[in-house]
Amino acid sequence: MADTDEPMVVDGGSGHACEWEGRWNHIKKFLERSGPFTHPDFEPSTEALSGIRNIHVVDMDTIDVSNLNRQFLFRPKDVGRPKADVAADFINSRIPGCCVVPHFKKIQDLDETFYRQFHIIVCGLDSVVARRWMNGMLLSLLVYEDGVLDPGSIIPLIDGGTEGFKGNARVIFPGMTACIDCTLELYPPQINFPMCTIASMPRLPEHCIEYVWMLLWPKESPFGAGVALDGDDPEHIQWVYQRSLERAAEFNITGVTYRLSQGVVKRIIPAVASTNAVIAGKLQNERFENCSACSQIPMDLHFAPSSKLQDVLDYLTTSASLQMKSPAITATVEGKNKTLYLQSVASIEQRTRPNLSKTLKELGLTGGQELAVADVTTPQTMLFRLCFTS
């Protein structure tokens, strides 16, 4: 981009230069004007576009051919390389004065010391779980003094994403505005096919593909015992594709393609360019007063003393406002911290599994008692208050 401090002259196509007063005012506003919520250290500049010079990019994925049709940082020669590395190299070479540092890893691999250093965080994640984790990380960095939020501890979050013809884009001020969990029910649920349909009554090409990669792959181990299916490995996808064709032929189902096979395995949803273009017109979300993530208030869990721990686990995973994945539940019983159920560690899961069939009363829990719940959707342990019903 040319220096907007000097007049810009553009060839109008007929060989004559054309220019008029104020032609570049809109660009000057973007480059030289700070916004109402900008950090005091922010200095708009024509040298590094909007003045953001130091950028860290975190991405655990590598470039696939399907990525090339909707962005401008990657080229065919980059297929197979880490997205973060290629994006950083491109921007660093294209924009003098801009320093982009790549991190080829998961966002969960970096701790609060890393995230605390930034003035703003932009999320373009393809997972609701990852969004919730980042939301929880920024909430954990907030500082409260006598119950009053310290504005200096707020790191704004810009979150956006599209899924087919649906999408969302918004600015979140953790602790002040609606957070990710406040409006969790607005995210479209992930489509999962019933296992009985996949195994015995397939009707769609997707059913055939799911059958192959979920059931046949672990059974036949085509590339060796313990080798996980890699959605970016052409040989793996080719095997899934061929076996899916065979499965589809058995049930007279058409529509299985290599592209669809990879899409099902990687949970790829086609990107629609026009959706990306209009989604920025998103309405503001309202903050949920009793949000389990950002309200600083333990959420009440209403259960009868005769309810089983399995009922609590089911509620944590199926509730529209919680949607946990593998919650670990602990509580203080008779003065000792007790793990009631933990799924992520096999030995502990086996030891605590009998608790799921026990009633809350049998486990020694009482009304008003706090339950601490950890889950992959947040880096923080969430507190709930157990309220016994009659």
Side-chain angles (χ1 to χ4, degrees):
M1 183 174 289
D3 187 344
T4 55
D5 289 336
E6 300 294 334
M8 291 186 179
V9 181
V10 180
D11 190 336
S14 59
H16 299 286
C18 60
E19 184 57 73
W20 58 87
E21 184 179 357
R23 181 179 182 185
W24 305 105
N25 285 352
H26 59 296
I27 295 181
K28 286 188 176 183
K29 288 181 180 179
F30 175 70
L31 296 177
E32 301 173 5
R33 183 183 63 178
S34 62
F37 298 108
T38 52
H39 191 277
D41 295 338
F42 181 82
E43 296 180 2
S45 165
T46 58
E47 297 178 1
L49 297 184
S50 57
I52 301 175
R53 299 169 179 267
N54 299 311
I55 304 171
H56 287 247
V57 179
V58 183
D59 198 301
M60 61 175 286
D61 205 359
T62 56
I63 298 169
D64 186 73
V65 173
S66 62
N67 302 137
L68 303 180
N69 72 325
R70 60 183 183 274
Q71 53 68 54
F72 52 87
L73 299 178
F74 310 147
R75 299 292 183 268
K77 64 180 176 61
D78 300 320
V79 171
R81 290 187 59 200
K83 291 181 178 179
D85 291 352
V86 175
D89 291 345
F90 185 99
I91 298 173
N92 287 334
S93 63
R94 182 70 175 266
I95 305 175
C98 191
C99 177
V100 181
V101 180
H103 301 272
F104 179 38
K105 55 182 63 179
K106 299 179 181 179
I107 59 171
Q108 294 92 336
D109 293 337
L110 299 162
D111 59 18
E112 64 177 34
T113 302
F114 174 80
Y115 290 110
R116 197 187 298 275
Q117 67 180 308
F118 299 108
H119 293 157
I120 192 169
I121 290 179
V122 181
C123 278
L125 301 166
D126 58 5
S127 161
V128 176
V129 172
R131 280 182 165 85
R132 296 178 67 185
W133 189 93
M134 181 59 72
N135 180 69
M137 170 57 71
L138 297 185
L139 289 172
S140 72
L141 299 180
L142 297 177
V143 175
Y144 290 85
E145 297 179 2
D146 297 327
V148 178
L149 176 62
D150 177 8
S153 65
I154 297 175
I155 301 177
L157 171 67
I158 299 177
D159 176 64
T162 59
E163 182 175 287
F165 291 102
K166 300 186 285 278
N168 121 64
R170 54 176 161 165
V171 179
I172 296 171
F173 292 91
M176 291 180 58
T177 63
C179 75
I180 297 290
D181 280 45
C182 283
T183 54
L184 191 59
E185 68 277 3
L186 297 182
Y187 287 103
Q190 181 174 318
I191 297 175
N192 292 304
F193 300 112
M195 186 56 67
C196 58
T197 300
I198 294 173
S200 59
M201 297 180 295
R203 297 184 301 276
L204 302 172
E206 290 87 349
H207 293 162
C208 301
I209 299 168
E210 291 266 358
Y211 174 83
V212 171
W213 84 268
M214 292 181 65
L215 299 178
L216 286 191
W217 180 277
K219 180 181 179 181
E220 300 186 7
S221 301
F223 292 85
V227 176
L229 176 58
D230 184 353
D232 293 313
D233 189 322
E235 293 186 2
H236 288 195
I237 298 301
Q238 184 64 28
W239 186 88
V240 172
Y241 168 52
Q242 292 297 336
R243 298 305 301 270
S244 299
L245 282 177
E246 297 171 8
R247 175 77 171 172
E250 294 179 21
F251 293 88
N252 296 317
I253 296 173
T254 60
V256 173
T257 65
Y258 179 93
R259 191 182 188 92
L260 180 63
S261 299
Q262 186 176 44
V264 171
V265 169
K266 296 182 65 176
R267 300 297 192 207
I268 293 174
I269 298 174
V272 180
S274 56
T275 303
N276 298 340
V278 303
I279 200 59
K282 182 77 171 57
L283 296 177
Q284 181 180 358
N285 292 299
E286 294 185 5
R287 190 177 181 189
F288 179 43
E289 182 179 353
N290 296 321
C291 174
S292 59
C294 69
S295 67
Q296 299 292 303
I297 302 173
M299 186 176 180
D300 290 341
L301 294 176
H302 296 275
F303 288 94
S306 59
S307 298
K308 292 180 170 55
L309 185 63
Q310 181 69 59
D311 298 328
V312 177
L313 188 73
D314 291 342
Y315 176 78
L316 295 175
T317 55
T318 60
S319 168
S321 61
L322 295 174
Q323 298 185 37
M324 293 186 175
K325 301 302 178 182
S326 55
I329 308 174
T330 61
T332 301
V333 180
E334 297 180 352
K336 296 182 179 180
N337 190 43
K338 182 179 180 181
T339 299
L340 301 179
Y341 184 70
L342 191 150
Q343 183 176 344
S344 57
V345 181
S347 60
I348 302 179
E349 194 282 331
Q350 185 176 11
R351 178 167 55 84
T352 58
R353 191 185 309 160
N355 289 341
L356 294 177
S357 58
K358 295 180 179 179
T359 67
L360 302 181
K361 184 178 181 179
E362 289 172 342
L363 290 171
L365 302 178
T366 59
Q369 184 166 8
E370 287 191 346
L371 300 180
V373 180
D375 191 61
V376 295
T377 56
T378 175
Q380 303 182 90
T381 297
M382 300 173 62
L383 294 179
F384 295 85
R385 183 171 52 242
L386 188 59
C387 299
F388 277 167
T389 58
S390 56

